[in-house]
Amino acid sequence: MNTDALIRSSRRTVLVVEDEATNRELLGYILGESYDVLTAVDGVEALEVLAGHPGQIAMILLDILMPRMNGIEFLKRRQQDDTLSRIPVIVLTSDKDAELETLKLGALDFITKPYDMPEIILARVRRIIEFVEDRQIIQDVERDELTGLYTRGFFFEYCRRLPAPPRGERRDVIAVDVDHFRLVNEVYGKGFGDRLLCAVADGIHDVVHAGFGIGCRGDVDLFYVLLNQRRDYEAVYDALMRRVHQLGQSNVRLRMGVYQGVENTRPLEWYCVAAKAACDTIRANYTRGVVLYDDKLHERELYNERLIADMESAIAQRQFTVYYQPKYDIRGETPKLYAAEALVRWIHPELGFISPGAFIPLFEENGLIAKLDDYVWRQAAGQIRDWRDRLGVTVPVSVNLSRMDFYDPRLKERLLDIVKENGIPIESFVLEVTESAYSQNMDQMLKTVGELRQAGFHIEMDDFGSGYSSLNMLCLMPIDALKIDMKFVRNVASSSTGYRMVELVIEMARALGVPAIVEGVEDEAQYRLMKQVGCDIIQGYYFSRPVDAASFEPLIAGK
Ligand code: C2E
Ligand code: CA
Ligand code: CA
């Protein structure tokens, strides 16, 4: 049987709230043939049962006169609760006067005691359930026009009506998200964006039809699927990616989050949010496509929310500190201090020392990064000035630009202002731009970076080798140094191809006529290898970890 038919034919659950045992039994008997029946002896217990079966109860049959919490009071409580007020109520009564009041409180129909007409009771219950469900369906537009998948509202409604999985079987929720969809749309055009969404939807269609499941387009570029538990999520992901690659753009990427073992203790929406959170953890991670949700992730999510909430006040309270890590020129006999990189740290009054890896990607997501970067740039420029004044030395300091910074049309002016305000040579205020930013929005990057260089800034391409930049792009892109991604150094000792890779990158830097900077050199052995392979500048723990400005000064003095 397909999923739709299953939903329509599934048994609904009805809750009977009645203090008299014989009446409860009688109603249970009458309804039991067509419905699953739960019972409660008063309003208080009814609320407990409802809380224990979220999204499962299709109708409430409610007595009025009951101890502890009577029917009227229960109806008042129900009205205040969005979820509960969606569940229709039929009032069980022998009291004509109470009818009007219960109607005002949202009851839809009455069944009068004594219960001597089972067929009428059954017919009323069925009619009301159908009526409410149909109304709900009509309110939601069933399918998404572009992709043909269910819309969000309809998806959740359908999932609610699904019968529970057979004993011993479980269901999972997956969330699929297009990485940087807005950029993709911008770079390749809206037509491509639409085709991409349809390709993902087709892939989801395949998954759903191969087994049991329901899928929907939950938001612009976000999809949810409820499906029977499986283990091969990597294969599901690969199948979706194959669909995407058929469109001919190899650097479009999906992310997939999985919540395994959905239960009745929470509404399905919660599990979808959790699956989405799992897939959000690999936003900046180009090596993983699939993540499973777990408790650790939940904690991390709370932690991340905290960081976002605290960011603005942290800037105001100057909790962010800029550290400096030296870059050494190793071309001569003895290594010489060449420059420094400004790297931000967060000293949080309660959470302690936080490294940028924990908050930069978060702030890049929601645009907060622009404000933080501005703060770091000003600190760094002020530091260059301070060292010039006090030590008589101009140490070039590079700052990091995030891809978000390039969305600001005033970027160049802002940077020029900072240089001017601090009265420092423009070439001492170096800009690091990560390679992945180039590859994601090439035309605009070419233009902006070109303008920045024209204005006199020196540009270093950061994390080279971690993105997808083509050789062609490298030749077009005006840069002043190539910073080789740390992973190459990691691989140099362990494999001969690793060594060959570094050699190749250095050859590229030579071809471009710019120095090659190698990051992440940690020990003597790596240092020797790098010198041997011909790299020009080295930044890494071997020379120094990033340190605060005061600790950096001795390095300048020793220059
Ligand atoms: P990045 O720009 O690639 O910075 C280099 C990172 O490598 C730094 O991590 C540095 O501490 C680390 N590192 C340097 N030498 C070694 C080594 O020998 N071994 C190892 N294992 N690591 C080394 P950090 O400071 O944690 O920064 C991480 C990333 O956060 C940076 O990567 C950069 O992308 C970002 N970031 C840091 N500060 C800022 C900022 O002010 N603005 C923006 N937009 N991003 C920043
Ligand atoms: Ca950097
Ligand atoms: Ca780097």
Side-chain angles (χ1 to χ4, degrees), residues 93-223:
T93 175
S94 46
D95 174 9
K96 278 274 165 213
D97 293 340
E99 287 188 10
L100 185 63
E101 190 175 3
T102 58
L103 259 185
K104 280 188 190 150
L105 288 170
L108 281 181
D109 205 346
F110 307 94
I111 295 174
T112 40
K113 298 180 183 181
Y115 311 125
D116 46 9
M117 312 269 282
E119 298 86 342
I120 290 188
I121 293 176
L122 258 182
R124 282 211 172 148
V125 169
R126 184 174 307 126
R127 188 176 60 82
I128 293 280
I129 289 179
E130 281 177 4
F131 169 74
V132 169
E133 288 185 354
D134 288 346
R135 186 184 61 184
Q136 187 63 46
I137 290 175
I138 292 162
Q139 278 172 356
D140 298 323
V141 184
E142 190 183 64
R143 290 194 189 261
D144 169 44
E145 236 178 277
L146 177 69
T147 63
L149 287 176
Y150 289 130
T151 53
R152 184 191 171 86
F154 201 83
F155 169 76
F156 284 118
E157 184 57 37
Y158 255 19
C159 290
R160 251 190 290 281
R161 293 195 212 167
L162 281 175
R167 252 181 184 288
E169 280 180 34
R170 309 223 289 170
R171 290 194 185 128
D172 298 345
V173 165
I174 63 182
V176 179
D177 194 311
V178 180
D179 207 32
H180 296 104
F181 182 68
R182 248 185 283 164
L183 272 174
V184 170
N185 245 342
E186 201 174 290
V187 176
Y188 301 114
K190 194 173 171 304
F192 178 84
D194 283 354
R195 268 180 288 137
L196 172 62
L197 295 175
C198 290
V200 178
D202 290 345
I204 286 177
H205 204 74
D206 295 342
V207 173
V208 162
H209 277 254
F212 167 90
I214 308 183
C216 79
R217 181 174 173 207
D219 197 1
V220 182
D221 61 333
L222 174 66
F223 300 84

Side-chain angles (χ1 to χ4, degrees), residues 278-557:
C279 101
D280 283 348
T281 59
I282 43 169
R283 273 212 151 106
N285 182 338
Y286 291 84
T287 56
R288 273 183 84 184
V290 183
V291 190
L292 306 182
Y293 184 93
D294 57 21
D295 285 347
K296 266 205 252 110
L297 217 152
H298 182 57
E299 271 166 38
R300 177 137 56 120
E301 221 186 302
L302 295 177
Y303 181 78
N304 287 350
E305 278 167 19
R306 172 88 189 271
L307 296 187
I308 290 169
D310 290 355
M311 186 268 184
E312 301 257 357
S313 59
I315 289 206
Q317 294 166 18
R318 310 179 73 80
Q319 290 170 14
F320 291 101
T321 305
V322 179
Y323 274 35
Y324 299 87
Q325 188 179 30
K327 298 174 183 173
Y328 277 87
D329 188 333
I330 61 160
R331 284 172 285 201
E333 248 336 80
T334 46
K336 265 192 357 204
L337 181 68
Y338 173 82
E341 177 175 7
L343 293 157
V344 68
R345 286 357 181 193
W346 186 351
I347 324 277
H348 192 289
E350 282 161 40
L351 304 173
F353 185 97
I354 313 174
S355 64
F359 56 85
I360 296 280
L362 282 183
F363 296 167
E364 280 179 338
E365 269 316 312
N366 49 32
L368 287 174
I369 189 68
K371 200 163 176 189
L372 179 61
D373 276 346
D374 199 87
Y375 177 84
V376 173
W377 300 342
R378 286 174 188 284
Q379 294 286 312
Q383 193 60 63
I384 298 174
R385 174 65 199 234
D386 176 50
W387 283 332
R388 261 164 83 87
D389 288 350
R390 288 192 300 109
L391 309 178
V393 180
T394 305
V395 182
V397 174
S398 59
V399 295
N400 288 283
L401 265 61
S402 134
R403 71 196 98 219
M404 293 302 294
D405 293 319
F406 286 88
Y407 284 102
D408 181 0
R410 290 199 59 256
L411 176 66
K412 188 177 79 183
E413 279 67 38
R414 275 171 55 208
L415 289 164
L416 282 171
D417 283 349
I418 292 174
V419 167
K420 215 188 292 158
E421 279 164 26
N422 288 282
I424 52 175
I426 192 164
E427 66 280 2
S428 68
F429 192 69
V430 180
L431 310 177
E432 293 195 14
V433 182
T434 178
E435 185 196 20
S436 55
Y438 286 91
S439 38
Q440 273 173 14
N441 197 351
M442 185 168 145
D443 292 342
Q444 210 217 311
M445 291 295 296
L446 268 171
K447 185 166 160 286
T448 312
V449 171
E451 285 170 7
L452 288 170
R453 274 191 95 232
Q454 202 100 57
F457 288 105
H458 281 192
I459 311 277
E460 294 182 357
M461 185 185 274
D462 200 0
D463 310 318
F464 181 70
S466 67
Y468 313 93
S469 52
S470 61
L471 263 169
N472 160 43
M473 189 195 89
L474 251 184
C475 300
L476 289 171
M477 196 62 79
I479 53 165
D480 301 279
L482 208 55
K483 284 190 92 173
I484 300 165
D485 193 67
M486 233 176 285
K487 71 166 184 262
F488 290 105
V489 184
R490 298 284 98 84
N491 296 336
V492 148
S494 59
S495 73
S496 58
T497 50
Y499 187 88
R500 181 67 195 129
M501 288 302 288
V502 176
E503 232 175 10
L504 267 175
V505 178
I506 289 169
E507 275 170 32
M508 285 162 114
R510 294 269 181 282
L512 297 169
V514 300
I517 305 177
V518 174
E519 282 187 279
V521 173
E522 291 184 350
D523 54 35
E524 175 90 30
Q526 285 172 347
Y527 169 69
R528 283 181 193 287
L529 269 169
M530 287 306 126
K531 201 168 159 70
Q532 179 189 330
V533 77
C535 100
D536 306 306
I537 317 289
I538 277 188
Q539 177 183 352
Y541 295 173
Y542 174 63
F543 285 115
S544 167
R545 288 182 178 252
V547 293
D548 62 26
S551 313
F552 193 88
E553 276 182 28
L555 304 179
I556 303 174

